[in-house]
Amino acid sequence: MADDSAHKPKDLPHSPGPAGGWGSMKGIASIYGETWASPGALDSLRRLNKPKGVMCMSCAWPKPANYSAFEFCENGAKATLWELTKDRCTPEFFAADGHTLAELREWSDHELEKSGRLTHPMKYDAASDRYVPVDWDTAFAEIGSTLRDLPREDVVFYASGHAGLEASYLYALLARAYGNNNLPQSSNMCHETTSVGLTKVIGSPVGTVTFEDLAETECYFYFGQNPGTNSPRFLHNLKDLKDRGGKIVTFNPVIEQGLVSFVDPQNPLEMMTGKETIISDQYHQLKAGGDVAAILGLCKVVVEADDAAQAEDRRAVIDHEFIQQHTTGFEEFIAYCRDAQWSEIENASGLTESSLREAAQVYIESEKTIGVYGMGFTQHEHGALNIAMMVNLLLLKGNIGRPGTGCCPVRGHSNVQGQRTVGIAEKAHLVPMDKLKQLFDFDPPTKDGMHIVDAVQGLIEGKVRGFISLGGNLVRAVPDQKRMEEGWANQDLVVMVSTKLNRSHLYPGKTAYILPCLGRSEVDEQATGNQAVTSEDSFSMINGSVGHRPPASEHLKSELAIVTGIAKAALDPSPKLKWDEWTADYSLVRDLIEYTYPDDFHDFNQRMFQAGGFWRGNPARERVWKTDSGKAVITTPPQLTSLGFEDKPGRYRLMTLRSNDQFNTTVYGYSDRFRGIEGTRDVVLMNPDDIAEAGLSDGDMVTLVTDYDRDDVERQLSGLKLVAYKLPRGTIAGYYPECNVLVPISHHDEISKTPASKSIPVKVVAG
Ligand SMILES: Nc1nc2c(c(=O)[nH]1)N[C@H]1C(S)=C(S)[C@@H](COP(=O)(O)OP(=O)(O)OC[C@H]3O[C@@H](n4cnc5c(=O)[nH]c(N)nc54)[C@H](O)[C@@H]3O)O[C@H]1N2
Ligand SMILES: Nc1nc2c(c(=O)[nH]1)N[C@H]1C(S)=C(S)[C@@H](COP(=O)(O)OP(=O)(O)OC[C@H]3O[C@@H](n4cnc5c(=O)[nH]c(N)nc54)[C@H](O)[C@@H]3O)O[C@H]1N2
Ligand SMILES: [Mo]
């Protein structure tokens, strides 16, 4: 029998205080102190996420049309202040004693970024093992000439999800005009499972909800996403639902504070009185990888209730008319649900029948439900199956394409979704190549390019010889970090367009350049004046953003100007490739985007400052299903977990998590106050009974060893402190990116190749 895990919030292990509240204010203040951000930075905070202001560079949570005085959260503020730090990473920094790359490799991620904003273009000098200054023209010319010498298919153009739509569109154009579709993006490690998996079942690569649905819904079913840390502005919508009497049912192996209670830092009365809103009505601590079984249990109860209603001539629970008209696979799935055994569901999910019945009852009673998910769903070997199961649950009651309902994948980087929309895609069929041919008069490559997993494999095997990185910190973000470091350093050319120093700069290859760029909050002055850029959020809303701060250094260029600088040097001139004109006036690039994607971007320049953004549209929201069958697909699961490996004694499922003191590989500090872990990130969280059974004690130092059946590579990480923590048996947790050495590159979602960073099979070894 599984534990009864339907916790009420009062049973929580640590009591770190609610999400939001004074803790979030202290969090912002500590970064303000630590970065020595200029007082003008506060002006930038006031302008965050408002029309003609700066769109936050942190996460992709949408910006409401009716914004409040402070439309930012703790982490948006931290990201802004971190960007506007007074610290500078100058040529003198690189020349200083102790700053060879060999020495800098000993620094922590936090220390590297803490050195401040990069100020000059730099080039690696192997003789001194240092970066030395280089002027922009020389850098571009050298990069261009190396690119011209390299085989076209051996160069990768990575993007990390920050750069605006304009720079991103031109970046994709650069790669294609150069000769490949090697355009992997951070979403390959993130929501690629959504792009592929959600498309398979509802024909949409992105979520279907908007703020209007959030305002109308009665209920959230909330899977594997941590809003308190990763999308704090969502907490306002969750609280709003609770204020309206709605219900939130959460499934997560970790009890995350933001899903427990919240004090609105923008509400003076709540701040003064400390009045908390309880977020989750039910909190189900399932095993990592247990969602398939848990959702099967929910569906089983729904089917049972519908059978009973029909037998007793009551109103049906399932929306049969919708199912009939809009879906395939229903009969097979409900037969499967009826046959499913509770013992197996309990075993695979770690939840009891009674707790799942309690959760299903909420779903049955709700007229309008939204399903939310994040990395807890996408980063598994069968991550797409998690998504398909949640879609099954929603479809049973017609909860997609009706006001107040829908799928809500919560995206990561601020423009990660938008970069895909405007052509940063390794899959050729996703891009209107005919339009590119018409517009720019060249034959775009038709062969699919490299996904990030292919690129890493290519690096490990020495097949990738050049890497351009528009933002990001790939060496630290990808699986199999150790092997990646070696492969990365074997390349002929590494070009990193960056704002801060990070580990990827420290494995330079034969030639390496750091090209420092403006941040989004800074003035981007070009020949026609200060340029605006645009981005697309999780709800497919497009927003303009204008920087107001003086640049961190007079030597910085915008991301767009860097892309066009490389393009001009690497490509032959063509009258259709007007790199200089586009750099002078970004509105011309928006015209190109409009021409290439007319349905999504009509009247782009006119609409970009609409409050709350303009909506790009989504057929699935209108119940038009762009799937093979033209219907939404109900999926019968081929297995009960999303793991892709078997349990065995001594094998644990390791989840790699984020703290609220980091943004991906950017580590702001060492306080995970929501989880009560302070001063270090080198920890393993483990259930006390598991600790005892393994003959270990709370506080012991341990080594994690990957226990992977499909290759013989040794992967281990030592120096980790055990922390007894309320987790399901067999599920343990550590931090991303520290644990990335443990993730095998071939351990990924089966259809989208998203690395399975939330269920890594590992052993825990003393010492
Ligand atoms: N402050 C801050 N904000 C961020 C980021 C950041 O690093 N810091 N990163 C940004 C990016 S790029 C992204 S993609 C998003 C990521 O935001 P999230 O999607 O929230 O990602 P994670 O924090 O990695 O993990 C999400 C949750 O999944 C749970 N989980 C793990 N395994 C399972 C499982 O098998 N089932 C279920 N149901 N739950 C599981 C974990 O306990 C955790 O609460 O946030 C963005 N915003
Ligand atoms: N084990 C494990 N691995 C994971 C994950 C996980 O949950 N677990 N999550 C995955 C996910 S969801 C993602 S999205 C990836 C993230 O992978 P990446 O996107 O590659 O990494 P980031 O840490 O976001 O990149 C940080 C760097 O971006 C640069 N930067 C910051 N702002 C800007 C800017 O405005 N412009 C430019 N050009 N550069 C800028 C800075 O130099 C900074 O050092 O990691 C993935 N890896
Ligand atoms: Mo992400």
Side-chain angles (χ1 to χ4, degrees), residues 672-705:
D672 190 352
R673 73 168 193 284
F674 292 144
R675 301 198 185 103
I677 295 166
E678 298 291 334
T680 177
R681 295 171 51 87
D682 297 324
V683 291
V684 182
L685 314 185
M686 194 166 177
N687 179 296
D689 296 335
D690 280 343
I691 295 182
E693 196 178 279
L696 298 164
S697 307
D698 187 17
D700 280 359
M701 295 309 283
V702 294
T703 297
L704 293 182
V705 181

Side-chain angles (χ1 to χ4, degrees), residues 190 226 229-230 252 256 289 291 375 380 658 662 664 758:
C190 181
N226 183 10
T229 287
N230 297 324
N252 194 315
E256 302 286 22
D291 301 84
M375 297 298 99
H380 291 280
R658 295 164 159 79
Q662 76 182 92
N664 296 339
K758 294 292 183 275

Side-chain angles (χ1 to χ4, degrees), residues 113 158 413 473 477 497 500 502 559 656 658 665 736 740:
E113 285 218 12
Y158 171 70
H413 279 304
N473 180 10
V497 181
K500 296 271 184 92
N502 65 44
E559 290 172 313
T656 54
R658 295 164 159 79
T665 67
Y736 148 65
N740 280 28

Side-chain angles (χ1 to χ4, degrees), residues 58-59 75 190 223-226 229-230 251-254 256 286-291 374-377 379-380 411-413 655-660 662-664 675 758:
S58 184
C59 79
N75 283 302
C190 181
F223 299 93
Q225 201 271 337
N226 183 10
T229 287
N230 297 324
F251 295 82
N252 194 315
V254 184
E256 302 286 22
L286 79 180
K287 294 180 187 174
D291 301 84
M375 297 298 99
F377 253 22
Q379 295 178 332
H380 291 280
R411 293 271 169 167
H413 279 304
M655 310 180 283
T656 54
L657 304 178
R658 295 164 159 79
S659 84
N660 76 310
Q662 76 182 92
F663 192 91
N664 296 339
R675 301 198 185 103
K758 294 292 183 275

